[in-house]
Amino acid sequence: MTKMIVKRLLVSVLVLLVVSLLIFAATLLLPGDPARAILGQQATPERVAALTEQLGLDRPAWERYLSWLGGVLTGDLGFSAATQGPVSELLGDRIAASALLLVLTALISTPVALALGAWAATRRGTRTDSVLSGSSLVLAALPEFVIGVLLVVLFATSVLQILPSVTIARPGEPVWARPEQLVLPVLTLALVVIPYVVRMTRATLSEALDAGFVEMARLKGLPERTVLVRHAVPHTIGPVAQVIALQLAWLAGGVVVVEFLFRYPGIGQALIDAVANRDVQVVQAITLIIAAFYVLVNLAADVAGILADPRIRHASGGGA
């Protein structure tokens, strides 16, 4: 078990290293001259050359990559060309705002999806199962921006008008100071995540309930609740954890669309602004943060699946 976890950890580190290289290479392919984009088209060649040297854009690509990677490993994300300040200071509040969205979405969507999936699995073939399966299929087919627009129409414009359609926080004011502006972004993200987890939970739990070891537990006279909790659920944790991890990892990328839709001051909006301004250091930092979150969440899911898998636990115990 320890070897499997260490292997997953080493693979995650390697993936992050490769991703960092791809991110740096992709930013090199962005059209236009960053120095010219910052100074404007009216800037003199001398000013453009001076800023190019200041930003280190005249150095070889491999040297710039190693310098950037070394800075990342020491917590230095570089300087924003647009604000002339540290990227870490620029992104500090935005990372906190996006993290709040992700945490709230995870805390709401995960237990709701698991409960609905388990409910559908224990009521297979009933009207409840049909309604839950059909609803999750419809929601899974809708992109996040469509769900967001529908929620805005329903709760912020022509129907109920009880929630703000965009972020209403003043500059410098934390987003949690006005909880009502968090409802629609969190609900949008949750409605995107929940259907996939519901369907996977139902499928894996249904398969476990039909397995021979569960039938044997029933034949022994164990209560159905005990059969479900002690015998069926442990065999579903691994696959369901993988799906939950994939969906939560998707949030790091999907939050870009949702933040743009609701004008939410998080890393998604910062990424869009940085691309428009050719602020390469900010683009690199945000993209790497999203990739690191994706990899770490999947690593956590792998470890949870390994620790929860009864077959691996029994094999490890047998080896001991």
Side-chain angles (χ1 to χ4, degrees):
M1 185 181 296
T2 303
K3 289 181 179 179
M4 295 178 67
I5 294 176
V6 172
K7 181 180 178 181
R8 296 291 197 283
L9 179 60
L10 294 176
V11 169
S12 298
V13 173
L14 179 60
V15 168
L16 277 177
L17 184 61
V18 174
V19 167
S20 70
L21 182 60
L22 294 175
I23 290 172
F24 186 84
T27 55
L28 294 179
L29 299 177
L30 289 175
D33 181 3
R36 177 68 66 179
I38 295 169
L39 296 174
Q41 297 300 321
Q42 304 302 322
T44 63
E46 290 77 12
R47 292 187 62 192
V48 173
L51 183 57
T52 299
E53 182 179 358
Q54 179 183 346
L55 297 176
L57 300 176
D58 55 341
R59 293 184 295 169
W62 64 269
E63 184 178 339
R64 289 155 54 192
Y65 169 72
L66 293 178
S67 176
W68 172 67
L69 183 61
V72 169
L73 294 177
T74 58
D76 181 10
L77 299 178
F79 284 82
S80 167
T83 65
Q84 294 298 305
V87 174
S88 56
E89 292 183 5
L90 174 66
L91 297 181
D93 293 339
R94 291 180 177 269
I95 291 175
S98 293
L100 179 63
L101 275 189
L102 299 181
V103 170
L104 290 177
T105 301
L107 291 177
I108 293 172
S109 62
T110 301
V112 169
L114 292 176
L116 292 177
W119 192 21
T122 56
R123 290 164 175 77
R124 284 173 291 171
T126 64
R127 181 175 298 178
T128 299
D129 180 29
S130 300
V131 171
L132 287 175
S133 298
S135 301
S136 62
L137 184 61
V138 171
L139 285 175
L142 296 177
E144 60 271 16
F145 69 88
V146 173
I147 295 177
V149 170
L150 291 176
L151 291 177
V152 168
V153 172
L154 181 60
F155 294 108
T157 55
S158 58
V159 182
L160 297 178
Q161 298 184 9
I162 58 177
L163 294 170
S165 59
V166 295
T167 302
I168 57 176
R170 300 184 182 92
E173 183 181 35
V175 290
W176 51 84
R178 298 172 181 264
E180 65 273 16
Q181 68 188 357
L182 299 171
V183 176
L184 290 183
V186 170
L187 187 57
T188 299
L189 293 171
L191 289 177
V192 175
V193 171
I194 287 174
Y196 296 96
V197 181
V198 168
R199 295 180 67 81
M200 176 57 73
T201 303
R202 180 195 179 281
T204 54
L205 188 55
S206 297
E207 183 179 354
L209 290 173
D210 292 336
F213 60 86
V214 172
E215 292 296 331
M216 183 63 68
R218 290 194 179 106
L219 292 175
K220 291 180 180 179
L222 295 177
E224 187 64 23
R225 182 182 180 86
T226 302
V227 171
L228 179 67
V229 174
R230 292 186 179 180
H231 296 275
V233 169
H235 286 78
T236 67
I237 293 178
V240 172
Q242 289 287 345
V243 173
I244 292 175
L246 287 174
Q247 293 306 306
L248 295 182
W250 168 88
L251 290 178
V255 75
V256 175
V257 176
V258 173
E259 288 183 359
F260 178 75
L261 177 63
F262 292 102
R263 299 298 186 268
Y264 187 83
I267 60 172
Q269 189 64 46
L271 178 61
I272 294 173
D273 295 339
V275 171
N277 296 329
R278 292 286 279 115
D279 201 342
V280 175
Q281 294 280 355
V282 176
V283 173
Q284 291 173 340
I286 295 177
T287 310
L288 188 61
I289 289 171
I290 293 175
F293 178 81
Y294 192 97
V295 171
L296 289 176
V297 170
N298 278 279
L299 174 62
D302 286 341
V303 173
I306 292 172
L307 296 177
D309 194 328
R311 295 167 296 182
I312 298 178
R313 291 205 309 268
H314 295 161
S316 300

